[in-house]
Amino acid sequence: MQHTLIHQILFSGKYDTNFNLILHKTDKDSLSFYIVKNLLQYIQEHDLSIFNVILSGENSIEEAYSALKKQETLTIQFISKKGHYKDILLNKEYDYLSIAPQNIGKGTALKFLNDYLKINANDTMAIGDNLNDIDLLKSSGIGVAVANAYEPVKKAATYTTNHSANDGGFAEAVYQFIEF
C-alpha cells in the first residue's frame, strides 16, 4: 500500500508598529515568518544568532550579494533559477540569495537530528536539487541528486536519479535505496 502525506500550511498575518509584516502559522506549531523593511536592523535589534533568510527581488540582487558576501559571519549562496533551472512551479525565472550564519545549514541540521535520534549518519539518505542542499548530501550516508539538480549538487551526490524532481526523482531514490 502506498501512502501519500500532504501537509498544508496556512498563515495569518498582521503588521507591527514598525510596519513589518508578521506571518504566523495557523496550526499548532509556533513557526513564524517575518517580512521586514530593514533586515539588518531587525537581526541586530532582536539579537538573532540562528536564522535563514531568502532574499529575492524584481531587480538584480547582485549588488546585495556583493555587499553581503564580505560578511565573514554569514554564508551567502547566490542561486539562479534561470534557463535550465527555471522555477517550473512558479513558471518564473529569478535569482535569490540564501543567507544564514556561518556553519548553519541543512547539513548541520541533519547532524543535529542524527545526534538527537541517535542515528548513524551512514544510515541516512538525503535527496536534493538545489545549491543549498550540498552540505546536506555530504552529511548523509547516501546523498542523492535528482536529474534536474544543479551540476555542483550532482558532483556532491553519491547517486543521481534518472528522473527530475517533478517527474519521480524522489520516488526513484527511495525505491533505489530503501527495502520494502
Side-chain angles (χ1 to χ4, degrees), residues 6-17:
I6 299 174
H7 183 74
Q8 183 177 10
I9 302 173
L10 301 173
F11 294 93
S12 64
K14 65 179 183 176
Y15 286 92
D16 67 10
T17 56

Side-chain angles (χ1 to χ4, degrees), residues 9-15 21-27 29-34:
I9 302 173
L10 301 173
F11 294 93
S12 64
K14 65 179 183 176
Y15 286 92
L21 176 62
I22 303 170
L23 298 174
H24 297 282
K25 203 156 104 170
T26 58
D27 62 7
D29 295 332
S30 61
L31 180 65
S32 298
F33 292 88
Y34 299 87

